[in-house]
């Protein structure tokens, strides 16, 4: 039984009536002729859920909030509490999709159950479907989030059938190579995906969220698609055979009049894993649902080992011990955090911060000479201040080929170009509103520090870099070079001594006090002294197509967290199959035109492209900028 760390718990503490601390993604898929439906999603989830601990555990609270909660297996797990379905009204365009997803994204997760939801969205144009998935940030960071997604995906259209020995005849049909363009025509954004392929610190844009960081990773190389040998449709995962016979084959648990449930499920350690319903017997062909009689089925998680929750006495004893020893640990955390005092937002502005940090490093025996960081003073912008409970979002894509061409022409990394695009887009957006500050904006860049030994742990293994975005530089080329210089300095600093201040600051106060003080601290910081202007995240992904329930994933738009402290805008991008997919989340009280920022991203890339560079994505040959 694993207890949440102080950083994990902070993601719970930050939640208020206006803040939801989950990370999410919107996948746009080819429906594969109707193969991507609620039944097949439920079936796939039940088959592979045990591969993703974050999706199968719920919180076990310590009485009176005296200590951080524990993760425990949910004995009453029911897929119907996590998998939902909706249909957009005609015409089902991207703006309707964004509105529907924004409403779901604004809602907090139910802490009485495992902290995740999946929503199947029908009615999209051109027969596409959307799958929106959100998971609480207390349970995942960027690397674990990407690997969680990978357990549900396959390398081939029939991967989900092959592993169960079912017919794969339908997989022979042609697969579409085009992808929907999720942006306005006026935005000039291409649709699709991309990947970076660099294993450098500069793609650490793991979106952060003021007190913590949002999803992404420290490297740009991208996680393995079948990180647990699961995404590739193999017959065994993590040394275990897939529990297929004992769980629901038909995700909805329905059978036609004459068809019967295929066994009552199999007891696993004292609890029902799942009752099985034969897909072959479903309507004789497993195709329709008319005339079928619903069979109530509580569907558990096959293959998931039971985890004992500490008893009440054990929880209270542990809380008492940690409370008694907390002063010693708090002092240690303060000393370790002081080593990075000159890199911590707000604290870096304290007179003598650099001298204090240097002295703390000498005391700890750290003799590394760390590059000095530029001023991290945060200018006031319309993006900063207390947020409301409402959300607006937009999504669109840029060609990775164009971005790589710019990077190569300027001797820079892909990640630096992405940061430059965000800098230019923010400059244009603020200029339109006569709100461009004279000083650079300050951005938080999350960095994954998860090691191979910790890859299966639930929770967060992240840190953060804080750097200036030179929005005050008018020339695009000079701005690009300024971004490269600033990011290079921040990366060199992090490479010498990865910052731990985020986790250390979360550990300073005892658990009961932290849970009470965090919302007030965040609200006050948002009003008086925001530590950053926004968060930018770049999440690595694969450069080849993936499939979900036989449907090709056309795009994947990551969506992240807003808090009072980090402001009303979060930009996250995911590299997949040759494109960079951007997901932008904003509070409408802080940003009045979330779609307009996408147009500025496209314009920013055009400004940097050499005149000799041209391809179908830049020239718009054969591209419908609204939808396919």
């Amino acid at each position: 039984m694993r207890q949440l760390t102080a950083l994990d718990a902070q993601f719970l503490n930050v939640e208020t009536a206006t803040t939801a601390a989950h990370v999410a993604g919107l996948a746009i898929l080819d429906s594969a002729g109707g193969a991507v439906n609620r039944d097949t999603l439920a079936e796939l989830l039940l088959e592979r859920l045990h591969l993703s601990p974050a999706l199968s555990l719920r919180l076990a609270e310590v009485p009176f909030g005296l200590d951080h909660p524990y993760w425990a297996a949910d004995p009453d797990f029911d897929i119907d509490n996590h998998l939902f379905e909706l249909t957009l009204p005609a015409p089902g365009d991207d703006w309707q999709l964004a509105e529907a997803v924004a409403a779901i994204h604004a809602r907090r997760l139910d802490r009485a159950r495992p902290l995740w939801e999946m929503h199947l969205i029908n009615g999209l144009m051109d027969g596409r479907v959307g799958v929106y998935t959100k998971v609480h940030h207390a349970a995942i960071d960027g690397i674990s989030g990407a690997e969680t997604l990978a357990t549900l995906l396959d390398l081939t259209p029939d991967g989900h059938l092959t592993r169960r020995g079912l017919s794969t005849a339908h997989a022979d049909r042609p697969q579409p190579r085009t992808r929907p363009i999720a942006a306005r025509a006026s935005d000039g954004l291409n649709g699709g995906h991309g990947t970076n392929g660099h294993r450098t610190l500069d793609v650490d844009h793991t979106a952060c969220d003021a007190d913590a960081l949002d999803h992404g990773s420290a490297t740009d190389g991208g996680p393995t698609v079948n990180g647990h040998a699961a995404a590739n449709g193999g017959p065994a995962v993590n040394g275990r055979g897939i529990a297929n016979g004992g769980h629901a084959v038909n995700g909805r648990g329905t059978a036609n009049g004459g068809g019967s449930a295929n066994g009552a499920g199999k007891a696993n350690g004292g609890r029902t894993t799942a009752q099985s319903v034969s897909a072959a017997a479903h309507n004789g062909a497993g195709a329709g649902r008319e005339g079928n009689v619903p069979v109530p089925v509580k569907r558990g998680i096959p293959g998931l080992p039971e985890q004992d929750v500490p008893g009440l006495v054990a929880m209270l004893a542990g809380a008492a011990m940690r409370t008694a020893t907390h002063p010693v640990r708090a002092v240690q955390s303060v000393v370790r955090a002081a080593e990075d005092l000159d890199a911590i937002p707000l604290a870096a502005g304290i007179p003598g911060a650099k001298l204090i940090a240097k002295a703390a490093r000498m005391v700890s025996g750290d003799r590394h000479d760390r590059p000095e960081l530029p001023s991290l003073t945060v200018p006031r912008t319309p993006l900063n201040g207390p947020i409301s409970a409402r959300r607006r979002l937009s999504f669109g894509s840029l060609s990775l080929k164009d971005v790589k061409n710019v990077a190569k022409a300027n001797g820079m990394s892909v990640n630096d170009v992405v940061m430059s695009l965000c800098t230019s887009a923010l400059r244009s957006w603020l200029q339109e509103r006569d709100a461009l500050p004279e000083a650079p904006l300050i951005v938080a860049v999350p960095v994954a520090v998860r090691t191979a030994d910790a890859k299966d742990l639930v929770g967060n293994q992240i840190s953060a870099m804080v750097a200036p975005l030179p929005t005050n530089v008018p020339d695009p080329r000079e701005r690009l070079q300024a971004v490269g210089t600033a990011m290079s300095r921040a990366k060199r600093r992090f490479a010498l001594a990865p910052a731990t201040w985020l986790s250390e600051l979360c550990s300073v106060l005892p658990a009961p006090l932290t849970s009470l003080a965090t919302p007030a601290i965040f609200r006050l910081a948002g009003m008086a002294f925001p530590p950053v202007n926004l968060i930018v995240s770049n999440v690595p992904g694969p450069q080849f197509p993936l499939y979900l329930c036989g449907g090709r994933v056309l795009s994947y738009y990551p969506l992240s967290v807003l808090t009072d402290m980090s402001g009303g805008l979060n930009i996250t991008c995911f590299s997949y199959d040759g494109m960079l997919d951007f997901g932008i989340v904003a509070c409408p009280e802080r940003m009045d035109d979330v779609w307009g920022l996408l147009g500025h991203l496209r314009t920013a890339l055009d400004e940097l492209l050499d005149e000799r560079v041209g391809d179908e994505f830049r020239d718009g040959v054969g591209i419908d900028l609204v939808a396919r």
Side-chain angles (χ1 to χ4, degrees):
M1 178 51 50
R2 180 183 177 277
Q3 189 176 27
L4 274 70
T5 65
L7 178 56
D8 296 339
Q10 189 74 337
F11 284 107
L12 298 174
N13 299 333
V14 74
E15 287 197 317
T16 65
T18 61
T19 301
H22 48 255
V23 292
L26 173 63
I28 307 298
L29 296 95
D30 160 43
S31 66
V36 184
N37 55 55
R38 192 187 186 282
D39 289 351
T40 56
L41 279 174
E43 176 186 339
L44 183 71
L45 285 166
L46 288 171
E47 179 184 284
R48 302 186 187 180
L49 206 61
H50 66 285
L51 303 175
S52 303
L55 303 185
S56 58
L57 303 176
R58 64 173 178 81
L59 293 173
E61 300 280 356
V62 176
F64 311 111
L66 295 176
D67 203 355
H68 301 314
Y70 292 80
W71 291 115
D74 184 4
D76 299 316
F77 182 87
D78 189 335
I79 195 67
D80 289 335
N81 293 327
H82 300 273
L83 180 59
F84 306 95
E85 185 175 19
L86 64 96
T87 301
L88 297 180
D93 58 33
D94 293 332
W95 299 275
Q96 291 173 293
L97 176 60
E99 287 295 313
V101 172
I104 303 171
H105 194 67
R107 297 198 296 263
R108 288 176 289 172
L109 289 160
D110 183 355
R111 295 192 184 182
R113 302 186 176 106
L115 298 176
W116 67 277
E117 288 180 1
M118 179 178 286
H119 295 256
L120 174 64
I121 306 173
N122 301 305
L124 275 62
M125 298 177 67
D126 301 319
R128 298 170 296 149
V129 296
V131 176
Y132 166 83
T133 307
K134 62 180 178 181
V135 186
H136 204 286
H137 213 323
I140 64 169
D141 56 24
I143 290 295
S144 58
E147 291 180 349
T148 294
L149 174 65
T151 62
L152 301 178
L153 299 173
D154 296 292
L155 297 172
T156 61
D158 59 348
H160 64 302
L161 302 176
T162 302
R163 70 187 311 150
R164 301 204 323 272
L166 300 181
S167 171
T168 60
H170 82 282
D172 294 332
R173 68 179 181 279
Q175 294 296 314
R177 299 298 300 175
T178 57
R179 293 181 291 276
I181 307 304
R184 290 183 181 179
S186 59
D187 293 336
L189 292 178
N190 301 331
H193 344 256
T195 169
N196 280 336
H198 299 281
R199 296 197 62 81
T200 59
L201 284 172
D202 56 68
V203 92
D204 313 317
H205 307 163
T206 1
C208 79
D209 192 42
D211 64 327
L213 306 170
D214 208 339
H215 67 237
S217 80
T219 63
D220 208 9
T224 336
V225 176
N226 55 349
H228 301 81
N232 202 10
V237 180
N238 282 349
R240 287 189 207 107
I242 298 299
N244 189 30
H247 67 270
V249 173
N250 184 328
R252 295 289 293 169
T254 59
N256 69 357
S260 59
N262 195 18
K266 193 172 183 178
N268 180 12
R271 93 169 188 261
T272 301
T273 57
Q275 283 129 338
S276 174
V277 179
S278 172
H282 181 73
N283 245 358
R289 295 177 60 178
E290 292 76 19
N292 294 343
V293 179
V295 178
V297 179
K298 177 182 285 188
R299 292 176 284 282
I301 309 173
L304 181 70
E306 293 288 352
Q307 301 191 42
D308 295 328
V309 182
L312 176 61
V313 174
M315 281 186 175
L316 293 177
M321 181 185 69
R322 277 180 283 276
T323 299
T325 59
H326 182 267
V328 175
R329 289 182 285 110
V331 170
Q332 293 173 339
S333 293
V334 169
V335 172
R336 285 192 293 265
E339 296 177 23
D340 292 300
L341 193 66
D342 55 337
I344 300 175
L346 296 181
I350 298 175
K354 294 181 180 179
L355 291 177
I356 295 173
K358 187 174 182 178
R361 291 194 290 269
M362 291 182 63
V363 170
S364 67
D366 184 349
R367 298 294 188 266
H368 289 105
D369 291 328
R370 306 187 188 185
E372 290 190 3
L373 296 173
S375 171
L376 299 179
T377 303
V378 179
R380 299 297 302 191
T381 73
L383 304 175
N384 297 105
I387 62 173
S388 71
R390 297 193 300 153
R391 297 291 180 268
R392 291 289 182 270
L393 63 89
S394 61
F395 46 83
S397 304
L398 297 177
S399 165
L400 181 64
K401 180 180 178 181
D402 281 352
V403 173
K404 285 185 173 181
N405 283 333
V406 172
K408 183 177 180 180
N410 292 274
M412 305 177 69
S413 71
V414 168
N415 191 68
D416 289 345
V417 175
V418 171
M419 293 299 294
S420 180
L421 297 180
C422 294
T423 302
S424 298
L426 288 164
R427 173 183 168 85
S428 299
W429 190 90
L430 290 168
Q431 271 187 320
E432 289 176 347
R433 289 151 183 82
D434 295 323
L436 180 65
E438 294 182 1
L441 299 188
I442 304 300
V443 63
V445 179
V447 180
V449 293
R450 182 175 293 269
T451 63
D453 295 338
K455 67 179 182 180
D456 293 326
L457 288 180
V458 177
N460 292 270
Q461 303 286 327
I462 51 176
S463 185
M465 295 190 304
V466 180
L469 292 182
T471 48
N472 57 333
V473 177
D475 181 76
R477 299 282 176 179
E478 293 179 5
R479 193 159 55 241
L480 175 64
Q481 295 300 323
V483 169
T485 299
M487 295 305 300
S488 178
R489 184 182 299 180
K491 286 180 289 185
R492 286 200 308 272
R493 168 71 179 258
F494 196 91
L496 286 173
T500 61
W501 58 265
L502 187 62
S503 296
E504 303 299 349
L505 290 180
C506 293
S507 303
V508 170
L509 296 178
L513 187 56
T514 301
S515 61
L516 293 174
T518 295
I521 292 173
F522 271 58
R523 196 75 174 177
L524 178 62
M527 291 187 294
F529 38 85
V532 295
N533 291 114
L534 77 156
I535 292 143
V536 176
S537 171
N538 186 353
V539 184
Q543 298 191 47
F544 41 83
L546 298 172
Y547 299 84
L548 178 67
C549 295
R552 179 171 175 167
V553 179
L554 306 174
S555 306
Y556 185 82
Y557 304 107
L559 304 167
S560 202
V561 187
L562 300 181
T563 69
D564 293 315
M565 186 179 285
S566 61
L569 175 65
N570 188 299
I571 303 174
T572 309
C573 84
F574 183 75
S575 54
Y576 169 61
D577 196 20
M579 301 294 285
L580 292 173
D581 294 340
F582 283 84
I584 301 175
V585 180
C587 168
E589 276 69 33
R590 306 257 65 92
M591 172 170 269
D592 56 2
D593 181 16
V594 69
W595 285 98
L597 196 60
L598 286 171
H600 290 309
L601 282 169
R602 175 72 256 181
T603 301
L605 181 56
D606 287 338
E607 286 177 339
L608 296 176
L609 283 169
D610 187 274
E611 293 181 357
R612 294 169 296 173
V613 176
D615 59 26
E616 60 176 347
F617 298 107
R618 178 184 175 187
D619 299 335
V621 178
I623 296 286
D624 178 352
L625 295 177
V626 177
R628 270 181 202 264

